Amino acid sequence: MRRQDRQMPEAFAWQVVDSCPYATLATVNQDGTPYCVPVSIARREKTLYFHCAAQGQKSENLVRQPWACISCVSWVHVPEGKFTTEYASAIAQGPCAEVTDREEKIQALRLICQRYAPGNMGAFDEAIARSLDRTAVWKVEAEQVTGKRKQYDSQGKEMKFGRME
C-alpha cells in the first residue's frame, strides 16, 4: 500500500466488507483484459460468497483463472470546499471456487439473503426450491484483506492513521 498513513487494521477492513452496499468483483478475461462487475456479497469468517447465473462471463473467467479481487467501499463523503473524497475501503483477494456442495450453497445463499433481504426470509425456502439449480454460488477464500481510510478532522486537516496491524 502506497499511503501507509491511510492503512487500517484488518478488523476495520472486515467491517467495511460487512457494511458495503455492494462489492466489485475483478477477474481477467481470456484475452487478458480486466473484467469487473458489482456483486452482492456475504461473509463467513474469511470466506466471501456471491451468487450469479450458472453461465456467463464471470463464471467463465473464474473457471479459467480461479483468483479474484473484491473491492468494497462502505462510506464516501466529499468535504465542502475540498477537491477530494473521504472514504472507507477494503480489498480482499484470494482463490475462488464454485460452491458445489448443496448444503454449503444453501447456507451461502441464506447469508446473502439475510444481509440484503432480511424481511423476505419467510419465503427463502420456497425461493431455494424454485431456483437453487439454476443459481451459481462462488466463494473467495480471502488470503489477503487490506483496509484504507481517508478522513478529515473538525479543523479540516487530514487525519493520519499510520501503519496499523
Side-chain angles (χ1 to χ4, degrees):
M1 181 175 298
R2 185 181 67 82
R3 290 293 306 261
Q4 301 258 328
D5 59 320
R6 294 182 181 158
Q7 183 174 352
M8 300 300 290
E10 184 175 328
F12 175 89
W14 287 123
Q15 184 179 29
V16 170
V17 168
D18 292 339
S19 61
C20 67
Y22 67 91
T24 303
L25 171 74
T27 64
V28 178
N29 288 319
Q30 187 170 6
D31 66 1
T33 58
Y35 176 74
C36 61
V37 61
V39 290
S40 300
I41 60 169
R43 176 174 75 96
R44 175 175 283 136
E45 297 176 6
K46 292 188 176 191
T47 302
L48 303 176
Y49 292 100
F50 61 91
H51 72 289
C52 59
Q55 296 177 342
Q57 186 172 358
K58 183 182 340 166
S59 295
E60 291 169 10
N61 288 352
L62 291 170
V63 166
R64 189 177 50 263
Q65 187 164 337
W67 189 269
C69 179
I70 296 181
S71 173
C72 306
V73 177
S74 65
W75 176 74
V76 176
H77 176 253
V78 179
E80 192 170 324
K82 294 195 178 290
F83 293 104
T84 191
T85 305
E86 295 178 301
Y87 59 85
S89 66
I91 296 175
Q93 300 180 59
C96 193
E98 185 172 4
V99 176
T100 56
D101 177 79
R102 184 177 179 82
E103 289 307 309
E104 183 182 8
K105 187 175 178 180
I106 292 170
Q107 285 302 101
L109 289 168
R110 185 180 310 279
L111 287 172
I112 294 166
C113 290
Q114 286 172 332
R115 177 173 177 178
Y116 292 97
N120 297 341
M121 293 310 292
F124 179 79
D125 292 335
E126 180 184 323
I128 288 297
R130 193 174 54 249
S131 63
L132 184 65
D133 293 334
R134 65 176 186 238
T135 303
V137 174
W138 288 80
K139 64 180 174 181
V140 177
E141 300 291 349
E143 290 184 354
Q144 180 183 20
V145 62
T146 56
K148 190 174 175 184
R149 177 169 69 180
K150 181 178 182 183
Q151 191 171 359
Y152 291 90
D153 65 20
S154 59
Q155 284 82 40
K157 294 182 183 178
E158 184 176 350
M159 297 169 66
K160 301 295 182 190
F161 300 101
R163 181 170 173 79
M164 304 174 123
E165 298 298 329

